[in-house]
Amino acid sequence: MAKLTQADINRVKGMGFLQNRGTECFSGRALAPGTVFSAQQLKTVAECAEKYGSGKVAFTSRQCAEIIGIPYENIDAAVAFIEEAGLSFGGTGAKVRPITACKGTTCVYGNCDTQKLAKEIHEKYYLGWRGVTLPHKFKIGVGGCPNSCMKPSLNDFGVEGRRVPVYDADKCRGCAVCQVKERCPAHAVAIENGKAVINREQCLNCGVCIGRCPFGAVAPEAETVYRIYVGGTWGKYTRMGTPLSRLVKEEEIFPILESTMLWFRANGYQKERLGAAIDRIGVEKLEEALFSGEMLARKDEILAAEIKTKA
């Protein structure tokens, strides 16, 4: 085929294909809803790599299966091939990036169904907001507990499952070996005057102690709540995500996530990450907008407006 033009390269970049250095071939990132590939989908990825690419696949940090060495003229055929298996290529541009999630769905420490939540976010925002341009990339990570294996706090928006222990001191029998104290990884439990005492400032709300007391002093039915982090980045410029000032319930996650993206679109400059916008404007202003419902009320106005450029 004729030499590739910049327009050719830009066209497929928007589809999720990045040019391999020094070649006219590309790598395409195939992603699965909820970060979980079925066995059949993995077979499809392998077959696609053999049929349209170099036969090689590498998994990315955002849990995509990247098919390497696809010639430009094979890209459209590769897209059609994997779409038949319920997969898609993507993961580039100033928009919502592929959602990542830890194995909290099956992990013994998981406080929530992380993969189910990631799939819901994928469908509502990765797919649903595919045509929405943001000031910069927007990464979302879902973690099941404070072990933070998926590093939610290093994403633009991080969700982390927590379980707050419900403690009934009247049921505590002052055991010589307190199972709640023994199992607490944060050493937030002490025995004082023959009773367990939980230091709430030190407690991580990780859920490890839930149900450990044989007498029910720490109730097993503790509700799962969520720590939300905003503005995290990793790379040349690192910024730990700012934790919102309170834990939230499951039904609050989506309104807060959507409000965060709307706030980012309304207030961020082009090529400015969310964390930089928060540092410039203030987390207090962000929280006021998120918890007041202001951003959702202004959704149509914000999506219709142009993204600001620096003066």
Side-chain angles (χ1 to χ4, degrees):
M1 65 171 290
K3 186 175 177 62
L4 292 179
T5 66
Q6 190 60 48
D8 293 328
I9 295 168
N10 291 342
R11 179 183 82 86
V12 297
K13 182 177 181 181
M15 298 164 58
F17 293 85
L18 300 176
Q19 189 172 16
N20 296 157
R21 186 175 58 224
T23 76
E24 292 196 348
C25 293
F26 295 76
S27 291
R29 300 169 181 173
L31 55 143
T35 76
V36 179
F37 291 85
S38 70
Q40 185 57 52
Q41 287 172 334
L42 286 176
K43 290 178 183 177
T44 299
V45 169
E47 189 175 347
C48 186
E50 290 180 336
K51 191 171 184 177
Y52 300 108
S54 65
K56 296 179 179 179
V57 179
F59 283 84
T60 72
S61 61
R62 298 206 71 76
Q63 300 175 301
C64 299
E66 188 166 271
I67 299 172
I68 301 168
I70 305 174
Y72 180 84
E73 60 269 23
N74 287 352
I75 287 177
D76 290 329
V79 170
F81 186 82
I82 72 156
E83 283 182 349
E84 290 183 5
L87 301 173
S88 61
F89 285 108
T92 59
K95 56 182 67 177
V96 176
R97 293 295 183 89
I99 317 306
T100 61
C102 74
K103 304 302 186 289
T105 301
T106 56
C107 177
V108 295
Y109 295 110
N111 291 321
C112 61
D113 190 342
T114 53
Q115 292 163 352
K116 176 177 179 289
L117 179 56
K119 184 177 181 180
E120 291 172 351
I121 296 173
H122 169 87
E123 291 171 349
K124 187 170 180 64
Y125 295 111
Y126 178 80
L127 296 179
W129 280 46
R130 188 161 38 190
V132 177
T133 301
L134 297 171
H136 210 306
K137 67 183 78 170
F138 193 89
K139 296 181 176 181
I140 303 170
V142 181
C145 78
N147 285 344
S148 200
C149 298
M150 193 44 68
K151 310 295 186 292
S153 60
L154 292 177
N155 283 257
D156 295 279
F157 191 90
V159 182
E160 195 170 81
R162 304 287 179 98
R163 293 182 76 196
V164 180
V166 178
Y167 176 55
D168 184 346
D170 290 337
K171 293 182 179 179
C172 176
R173 298 194 183 183
C175 298
V177 178
C178 173
Q179 293 302 316
V180 176
K181 180 177 183 293
E182 289 295 307
R183 294 303 296 266
C184 178
H187 307 293
V189 182
I191 305 299
E192 297 179 5
N193 300 318
K195 293 282 187 178
V197 177
I198 299 176
N199 183 331
R200 295 292 180 173
E201 295 296 319
Q202 199 169 328
C203 175
L204 299 175
N205 300 315
C206 65
V208 171
C209 71
I210 304 297
R212 298 297 177 183
C213 174
F215 306 106
V218 178
E221 64 273 10
E223 179 185 11
T224 295
V225 290
Y226 299 84
R227 170 65 72 198
I228 302 297
Y229 297 94
V230 290
T233 58
W234 184 254
K236 294 185 182 73
Y237 304 100
T238 301
R239 181 189 188 279
M240 290 296 294
T242 302
L244 295 187
S245 58
R246 65 173 176 85
L247 299 173
V248 306
K249 296 183 177 182
E250 183 173 355
E251 60 267 24
E252 295 180 277
I253 295 174
F254 278 54
I256 292 173
L257 169 55
E258 187 162 323
S259 293
T260 300
M261 292 190 291
L262 290 169
W263 186 91
F264 183 34
R265 182 176 165 86
N267 293 281
Y269 295 131
Q270 285 185 352
K271 299 186 182 302
E272 180 182 43
R273 290 293 292 271
L274 174 63
I278 292 171
D279 290 339
R280 175 169 55 81
I281 298 170
V283 71
E284 297 82 5
K285 292 287 188 182
L286 170 65
E287 283 213 18
E288 181 181 339
L290 298 187
F291 291 131
S292 68
E294 171 194 350
M295 307 317 297
L296 294 177
R298 295 176 52 206
K299 180 176 179 177
D300 291 344
E301 168 203 339
I302 292 169
L303 293 181
E306 295 292 325
I307 294 174
K308 298 181 290 188
T309 56
K310 290 183 180 180

